[in-house]
Amino acid sequence: MKDNLPEKGAIVQRDRETYAIAPHLPGGIVDPKTLRKIADVAEKYGAAALKMTSAQRIAIVGLKEEDLDNVWAELDINPGAAIGLCVRSVKFCPGTTFCKQGKQDAVSLGLKLDERYHGMPMPSKLKMAVSGCPNSCAEPAIKDIGVMGTAKGYTLMVGGCAAASPRLAEVVAKELSEEEVLEAIDRIINFYKNSGTKKRLGKFIESMGLENFKTGAGL
């Protein structure tokens, strides 16, 4: 029986014979040429479906194991970190770049976070999100690290998840600038990585208490 192939960025499917891959498309922002290439490669190798994912990627579903290397070579796109103990995804909304509701530049901040952290090894899986306004379209309150734009700056929250035991993130700072958000998240990541825990961030925070976590992370 086949299993996931993390070295090929491939997740075995329900039939236990074929695989899905997810090219990394930061924030789901993609140009027509790249969309055409994904569609052409999927068609060439007989993919069963193209599926939009919650991590703002396009999964190519139903590929044969023997085709995976050629598929990646022809796509010429890095794999999305869809499996493993790492920073899985940085989800972000259109922010002030496109949306009339935007209060802050979620695209700029989201891309910077993606460049810094996507795929970085972690004690457990870790997801991030940036929303440009309190509508929270990127769902920051159910991410391990969530950022929400307001008229006065960014609100930073930690410890959320939407797993079997859902948990809302807790606010640790308000009215931050983009640079202050980046600095704070860097401290959170370093503290978490060096803590020795194997727990997901929310469970880790519960085990030590929010105030102790804030002190340890220098918040």
Side-chain angles (χ1 to χ4, degrees), residues 54-75:
S54 61
Q56 299 178 324
R57 300 175 182 138
I58 301 174
I60 306 175
V61 181
L63 297 171
K64 298 181 179 67
E65 181 177 354
E66 59 267 26
D67 290 332
L68 292 173
D69 289 338
N70 287 335
V71 168
W72 281 122
E74 292 183 31
L75 285 171

Side-chain angles (χ1 to χ4, degrees), residues 96-117:
T96 53
T97 306
F98 302 109
C99 181
K100 66 179 181 178
Q101 301 291 341
K103 304 298 183 185
Q104 300 293 334
D105 191 350
V107 172
S108 171
L109 179 54
L111 288 172
K112 289 173 183 175
L113 291 171
D114 183 273
E115 184 177 0
R116 289 191 189 198
Y117 300 116

Side-chain angles (χ1 to χ4, degrees), residues 16-68:
R16 310 301 295 185
E17 291 292 330
T18 63
Y19 293 85
I21 64 169
H24 186 46
L25 305 172
I29 299 172
V30 60
D31 58 80
K33 181 179 178 181
T34 301
L35 277 177
R36 290 190 187 96
K37 180 162 60 174
I38 291 172
D40 289 344
V41 170
E43 188 173 55
K44 178 177 178 179
Y45 290 97
L50 293 171
K51 172 71 173 70
M52 305 300 174
T53 76
S54 61
Q56 299 178 324
R57 300 175 182 138
I58 301 174
I60 306 175
V61 181
L63 297 171
K64 298 181 179 67
E65 181 177 354
E66 59 267 26
D67 290 332
L68 292 173

Side-chain angles (χ1 to χ4, degrees), residues 94-168:
T96 53
T97 306
F98 302 109
C99 181
K100 66 179 181 178
Q101 301 291 341
K103 304 298 183 185
Q104 300 293 334
D105 191 350
V107 172
S108 171
L109 179 54
L111 288 172
K112 289 173 183 175
L113 291 171
D114 183 273
E115 184 177 0
R116 289 191 189 198
Y117 300 116
H118 175 251
M120 180 182 286
M122 287 287 142
S124 183
K125 70 177 179 181
L126 188 144
K127 299 181 180 182
M128 299 187 190
V130 184
S131 284
C133 85
N135 285 338
S136 292
C137 293
E139 303 168 335
I142 53 170
K143 298 294 187 287
D144 299 274
I145 298 176
V147 185
M148 183 185 73
T150 73
K152 295 183 178 181
Y154 289 104
T155 296
L156 177 62
M157 54 194 85
V158 296
C161 72
S165 299
R167 187 180 193 278
L168 287 176

Side-chain angles (χ1 to χ4, degrees), residues 73-99:
E74 292 183 31
L75 285 171
D76 193 27
I77 306 173
N78 291 329
I83 51 179
L85 306 181
C86 64
V87 178
R88 296 282 190 88
S89 62
V90 181
K91 185 175 183 177
F92 51 92
C93 74
T96 53
T97 306
F98 302 109
C99 181

Side-chain angles (χ1 to χ4, degrees), residues 156 158 172-173 176 180-192 204 208 210-219:
L156 177 62
V158 296
V172 292
L176 302 180
E180 287 171 331
V181 170
L182 292 170
E183 290 173 357
I185 290 178
D186 201 47
R187 291 195 296 271
I188 291 167
I189 291 292
N190 287 331
F191 177 59
Y192 181 48
F204 174 59
M208 67 184 305
L210 181 62
E211 292 307 314
N212 287 335
F213 173 81
K214 289 169 64 177
T215 299
L219 299 173

